[in-house]
Structures are given as C-alpha cells and as structure tokens.
Amino acid sequence: MTSNNKTMIPLAFIGIMFFAIGFALGINSLLVPVLQGSLNISNAASYLIIAATFIPFLLFGYPAGLTIKAIGYKKTMSLSFFIFAVAFYLFILSANRGSFTLFLLASFVSGAGNAYLQASVNPYITILGPLESAAKRISIMGICNKLAWPIPSIFIVWLIGKDVNKIGISDLEYPFLIIILAFVILGIMAFFAPLPEVKAEGEDAPADNVADESNSSGKTSVFQFPHLLLGCIALFLYVGVETVSLGTLVDYANSIGLANAANYAWIAPIGIVIGYICGIIFIPRYISQATALKICSIVAIIGSILVVITPSDISIYFVSLMALGCSLMWPALWPLAIADLGRFTKTGSSLLIMAMFGGAVIPTVYGWLKDACGAQQAYWLCLPCFLFILYYGMYGCKIRK
C-alpha cells in the first residue's frame, strides 16, 4: 500500500466522523424554534439548548485528552458515538415528558460526545500529515462537517411532513430513533476502522531533551505558550460566532416571517463550503495559514456589518458572507495554535477543545440580545469577535515568548 493510500483511508473515515459532528450540532437549528413553539419559552431560554451543547467542551476537554492518552484516538472516537446514542435517547424521553430541563440534559450529553469526538479527530487530522498543509486537510473535513449542519432540519421536516413552525416535540421520537441507530453503527465502525495511532513531532521527548526541535524544549507547562493561549481566546470567539451563523438561520427566517424557514439552513453552510474549497486549492501552495486567517477575518467583518444594516429579508443572505469568513478560521487557528508544542501537543489540544465553550456563551448572549433589540440587531455581537480573530492572525500567532 502506498503512503498516499495510507493517508486517504484514514481521511475517509475521519470525514465520516466530521459529518457526524456537524449533524449532532445541526440538530440545534431545529430544536430552538420547535421548543419556542411547543414549550412557549423565550429566545434566551431556547438558546440555552445550544449553550448546553457546548458547556461540555469546557468540562470534558481535559478529561478527553486523558482518555486519548489512555486508550488512543480510535477508541475515543468510538466511545463518542455511543455517548451520542445515549444523548438522543434522552431527547426522546425529553419530548415524551415535555420537559425543557431534560432537553438541556440531553443537549449536555450530546455535547459531551461531541467534546470527546472533537478532541480526538482534530489533533488527529492535524498531525496525520505535514503541519504546513494541515489547513488543507481540515478544510476537506470541514466540508463534511458543515454540509451536515442543515441535514437534521431538512431530514426531520421531510420525514415528519410538516414545516418547522408546525412541528411539535411529540413529532421527534421516530426521527431520533433512526439517529440513535445511525450513531450505534458509527460507533462500531469507528472501533474497527483502520486508523493508525499518530503522534506530533517531539511529543515523546522528555522535558530535558535538548534535541527537541520544537518550541517545547525547556518548557514546564502548556501555559508558557502565548500563541496557544491567545489561540484559545480566538477559538472561543470563533466557535461562538460560527455557531451563531449556522445555528440561528432557521430561527431568524422564522422570526422575520419567511416561508419554509428550514430551507434557509443551507445559507451559511454554502458560504463555509465555498471557503473550504478555496482552502483546499490555495493552502499552502499559494497562501499561508496565517494569511488565510487574516483574509477570512476581513470577509467576516464585512459580512457581519452587512447583516445588520441591510433590509431583513436581504440581510439573511449576508449571513453566508459571514460564514464564508468563518470557513478557514478553524483550519487556520488549530495548526497555528498547536504549532511547536512538542510533548505538550495533546494537552494543548485539550485546551483548544475547552475553548469551544465559546459555542455556549456567544449564542446565549445572542439570544438575550434578540429579546432586547431584535434578531437582526443582535448580530452586532459578531463584529468584535471577528476583530480579535484578525488581531490573532496578524500578531497573536507569532508570539512565542
């Protein structure tokens, strides 16, 4: 088997797992408006569903790293799918009992599964090949991930035969049973997948190894890497604003009275996929990962401004431009932040997974702002987030001491 084939087979399996990540997160796009209609809760309360999905990244990011050290990447991936299956069973119980508290618990368990899966697949795909081309590999995975976001809403609407504003929580049991079966199959598939264990350069080097060529030589703590810590902040903000762009579209379309609101779930993923395709073509042959991050930050800044200053029925399409800007942020932020960590790579990856807690905070703040000043004006929240990410791409990623 050639070296290329040895890489392509793991890429195919990891692509399936990235699709599963997007599917599990995309379910929130449907749950938010459904819970608002069925349980008569506020916007801020309904967005707690998204918050509950991302809080586990903060709580389980480090334990996930320890799990990977103990049982390896592949078995951790398999474990995550069984956690997902448990989460969707809890969703069924939540729907049967009409309990918002149980919905939050189910979302939390789903987030735990996502935390374990993200903690394993992201560093795996980053160090599977050369670091300078990591953004290209992550871009390929990102296409699998983002195309999955709108699938739950469209699949459930099609399966039930009702528009989003007519779906009640009692309609969710049958679709969720199908999803549980799919996740169990994926868990078994992941366990037997031909995925070799991989390690970053210098990962096995002892603390006093002078031959260690990474930036970790002489370091005693992961907190001695400023580029990693600033990268965690940038990732916190990025995950938050990308979740807003992906997770609010159905609710936003519903809020401004657009027909067939579920169809608008495609707007952001299309923008992101276009960006990922550009990443595959241009990185690293024509532009560096840092340059891609700067370009995307500027595009996202322009998009976030246009979303709030144009008429609402037009502004929803500019969410796609904001999402286009988000596209290469993850592929660029991840390798930039874990560069030169050496033996601290797994711990640094755990910190980055914990930073995904931004997906809990930023959308919740969006929900509060929506209650206070309306859905469209709430998108102003994204602007300062993108400005910090631009700073990281220009200066923060270069700080090594």
Side-chain angles (χ1 to χ4, degrees):
M1 182 179 293
T2 65
S3 177
N4 186 53
N5 287 336
K6 288 181 180 179
T7 302
M8 291 302 297
I9 292 175
L11 278 175
F13 277 98
I14 298 299
I16 295 172
M17 296 177 193
F18 269 90
F19 184 92
I21 291 171
F23 188 95
L25 290 173
I27 198 71
N28 292 316
S29 298
L30 180 78
L31 284 179
V32 168
V34 168
L35 291 179
Q36 287 175 4
S38 297
L39 302 181
N40 195 27
I41 56 178
S42 67
N43 292 302
S46 65
Y47 277 93
L48 287 175
I49 287 290
I50 297 180
T53 304
F54 281 91
I55 287 173
F57 287 103
L58 178 64
L59 300 179
F60 292 103
Y62 186 71
L66 296 178
T67 303
I68 294 169
K69 286 182 180 179
I71 65 175
Y73 286 106
K74 185 170 71 170
K75 291 180 181 178
T76 303
M77 295 173 196
S78 178
L79 172 64
S80 68
F81 286 116
F82 291 108
I83 297 174
F84 277 132
V86 172
F88 277 86
Y89 174 72
L90 290 174
F91 275 126
I92 293 175
L93 291 181
S94 308
N96 290 339
R97 299 185 182 184
S99 171
F100 181 61
T101 303
L102 272 179
F103 269 109
L104 291 177
L105 176 62
S107 293
F108 180 86
V109 176
S110 177
N114 224 319
Y116 275 83
L117 188 55
Q118 295 264 21
S120 52
V121 296
N122 283 292
Y124 189 92
I125 200 67
T126 300
I127 60 182
L128 185 62
L131 189 62
E132 63 271 12
S133 62
K136 175 182 287 190
R137 293 190 299 278
I138 298 176
S139 292
I140 296 171
M141 298 301 104
I143 293 175
C144 301
N145 177 268
K146 295 310 182 294
L147 285 179
W149 270 78
I151 298 297
S153 297
I154 295 172
F155 168 70
I156 292 175
V157 166
W158 169 79
L159 193 64
I160 296 174
K162 297 180 181 178
D163 199 5
V164 171
N165 56 5
K166 296 179 181 178
I167 294 177
I169 55 176
S170 60
D171 297 316
L172 299 177
E173 180 173 353
Y174 178 53
F176 283 1
L177 283 172
I178 296 175
I179 294 170
I180 289 172
L181 177 61
F183 277 125
V184 170
I185 293 172
L186 284 171
I188 296 171
M189 183 188 302
F191 187 84
F192 293 103
L195 300 176
E197 288 298 318
V198 293
K199 292 183 179 181
E201 181 181 354
E203 189 170 336
D204 289 332
D208 57 352
N209 186 3
V210 294
D212 180 8
E213 296 181 358
S214 74
N215 197 46
S216 67
S217 180
K219 299 289 179 64
T220 59
S221 169
V222 73
F223 296 103
Q224 293 176 307
F225 297 88
H227 74 285
L228 169 65
L229 301 181
L230 290 172
C232 286
I233 297 173
L235 198 73
F236 174 92
L237 298 173
Y238 152 73
V239 172
V241 290
E242 185 185 63
T243 304
V244 167
S245 68
L246 286 164
T248 62
L249 279 165
V250 177
D251 183 39
Y252 184 35
N254 204 40
S255 298
I256 59 178
L258 297 176
N260 301 314
N263 293 335
Y264 289 89
W266 282 105
I267 291 176
I270 287 173
I272 291 179
V273 168
I274 290 172
Y276 280 141
I277 293 172
C278 292
I280 294 169
I281 296 172
F282 295 111
I283 299 174
R285 185 174 182 180
Y286 299 107
I287 60 174
S288 68
Q289 293 167 155
T291 300
L293 182 58
K294 286 181 277 190
I295 294 172
C296 284
S297 298
I298 294 171
V299 170
I301 288 168
I302 295 171
S304 62
I305 293 173
L306 291 174
V307 167
V308 295
I309 66 173
T310 54
S312 59
D313 57 337
I314 298 174
S315 71
I316 193 169
Y317 294 101
F318 285 114
V319 176
S320 180
L321 187 60
M322 193 166 70
L324 173 62
C326 287
S327 61
L328 296 183
M329 288 181 181
W330 179 271
L333 281 171
W334 193 274
L336 287 173
I338 69 170
D340 301 326
L341 295 189
R343 66 184 184 280
F344 295 103
T345 298
K346 283 190 174 72
T347 307
S349 297
S350 295
L351 287 181
L352 289 170
I353 292 298
M354 293 169 69
M356 292 177 67
F357 175 63
V361 177
I362 305 299
T364 303
V365 175
Y366 172 88
W368 290 336
L369 290 174
K370 183 184 174 188
D371 282 332
C373 57
Q376 185 174 4
Q377 295 303 310
Y379 282 106
W380 275 120
L381 172 66
C382 300
L383 182 58
C385 300
F386 288 131
L387 287 171
F388 182 88
I389 295 169
L390 177 61
Y391 155 76
Y392 183 75
M394 295 180 68
Y395 305 108
C397 66
K398 301 175 184 177
I399 303 174
R400 288 292 192 270
K401 295 183 180 180

